[in-house]
Amino acid sequence: MTKYDAVELGIMWDRLISITDEIVSALMRTSFSLHVREIGDLSSVLFDARGRSLAQGSFSQPAFTGTAPQTIHHMLRKFPVETLEPGDVLITNDPWMGTGHVFDVSVMRPVFRRGQHVGFTMSVTHLPDIGGLGFGTVATQYYEEGLYIPITKLVNAGKINEPIMEMIQSNVRLPEEVFGDLMGHITCNQVGERYLLEFMDEYEIEDLESLSQAITSQTERSMREKIRAIPDGVYRSMIQAEGYDEPLTLACSVTVSGDGVHIDFSGTGPSVSR
């Protein structure tokens, strides 16, 4: 496995971040809706061949970035790598496999180099509409929240899945904007793939395994160093958030010990019925 010194790793990591920033830039320039173009309700992430996060866009929503690794593993359970081919693009807005909100779509593209799978790109955005009641907070059933898109291929070997695209457009109030945003997803992930392959060619990297491991190890060391700077102890907090029928209690205690933390949500109220 290739070893990287601190300077070399820093340069290559920054280069990967610049690639995710290019994905964000392409997404914002090509999308139709204000949610993406102006508000920036989006995220972009690069992954290695095993679905481990390598880098994220500098301008990305933390919630989207945090759920993306879980989303990609759900996608790969349904579509294992050996079933994917160059030009494929997967999509879902499943709230239990993504951001927790049906308005948010996750779009993933596998990256192939010289016939070998080497990684993934992913973009996540809030769509301008997804059908349903319109004002999701008044929904009392999941089906009222809007269109559910199971993990499926939006693009199959470079060809757009027209029935899926038509089905989505037929169930939203703003079909042109939604179509434009989805095409923006397809475009930005293609841009990410191109830049990632150029990066690998420039540094003569056959796969991202060693670099991914180096980034993960450095990240863990840095995180544990910051945790050690926090005095050992138990830190508690509780807030009440506005609920549909009554306020919701959100409680959390964080136990810091050395370079590790344990988070306990005991005291949080039960799941709501609607």
Side-chain angles (χ1 to χ4, degrees), residues 37-269:
R37 295 178 64 87
E38 301 294 335
I39 300 174
D41 199 349
L42 56 85
S43 186
S44 70
V45 186
L46 283 179
F47 299 91
D48 67 8
R50 289 200 278 166
R52 295 181 298 179
S53 179
L54 284 171
Q56 65 193 56
S58 301
F59 185 80
S60 291
Q61 294 291 344
F64 293 175
T65 303
T67 57
Q70 294 301 317
T71 301
I72 199 168
H73 288 298
H74 285 300
M75 288 178 164
L76 293 177
R77 273 192 286 272
K78 184 169 182 179
F79 289 94
V81 171
E82 57 269 20
T83 69
L84 300 175
E85 55 186 319
D88 282 351
V89 175
L90 303 185
I91 184 174
T92 189
N93 73 335
D94 188 321
W96 288 278
M97 296 183 180
T99 68
H101 190 196
V102 292
F103 272 88
D104 301 328
V105 292
S106 301
V107 179
M108 178 270 276
R109 183 185 182 99
V111 178
F112 293 84
R113 181 173 183 266
R114 299 172 183 172
Q116 299 296 317
H117 170 248
V118 296
F120 304 92
T121 68
M122 178 177 283
S123 56
V124 188
T125 70
H126 185 293
L127 290 178
D129 186 65
I130 198 64
L133 289 175
F135 188 58
T137 57
V138 301
T140 59
Q141 294 184 350
Y142 167 72
Y143 300 101
E144 297 175 1
E145 294 183 357
L147 178 65
Y148 164 68
I149 307 171
I151 298 171
T152 190
K153 286 189 179 182
L154 184 63
V155 181
N156 192 353
K159 184 177 181 180
I160 293 177
N161 190 334
E162 297 291 352
I164 292 295
M165 191 70 81
E166 183 179 357
M167 181 271 295
I168 295 173
Q169 287 183 276
S170 298
N171 283 276
V172 297
R173 299 174 181 84
L174 303 169
E176 290 186 357
E177 284 192 34
V178 170
F179 175 80
D181 280 15
L182 293 178
M183 291 302 295
H185 275 284
I186 294 171
T187 300
C188 76
N189 281 284
Q190 188 173 2
V191 168
E193 177 188 54
R194 184 174 74 244
Y195 281 120
L196 181 59
L197 293 177
E198 289 178 0
F199 164 80
M200 295 180 71
D201 288 341
E202 180 179 339
Y203 285 92
E204 299 181 344
I205 300 173
E206 294 302 319
D207 61 63
L208 298 168
E209 180 73 19
S210 296
L211 181 57
S212 176
Q213 186 59 52
I215 290 173
T216 301
S217 297
Q218 178 61 37
T219 301
E220 181 178 352
R221 285 194 296 270
S222 298
M223 177 64 75
R224 290 189 180 280
E225 181 180 342
K226 295 297 183 181
I227 294 173
R228 278 195 296 268
I230 302 173
D232 287 357
V234 180
Y235 300 83
R236 295 184 175 87
S237 181
M238 183 183 70
I239 62 171
Q240 285 195 320
E242 182 180 359
Y244 192 90
D245 294 316
E246 58 185 14
L248 306 176
T249 300
L250 304 175
C252 178
S253 64
V254 179
T255 302
V256 179
S257 178
D259 62 357
V261 296
H262 175 76
I263 303 174
D264 187 352
F265 293 96
S266 296
T268 295

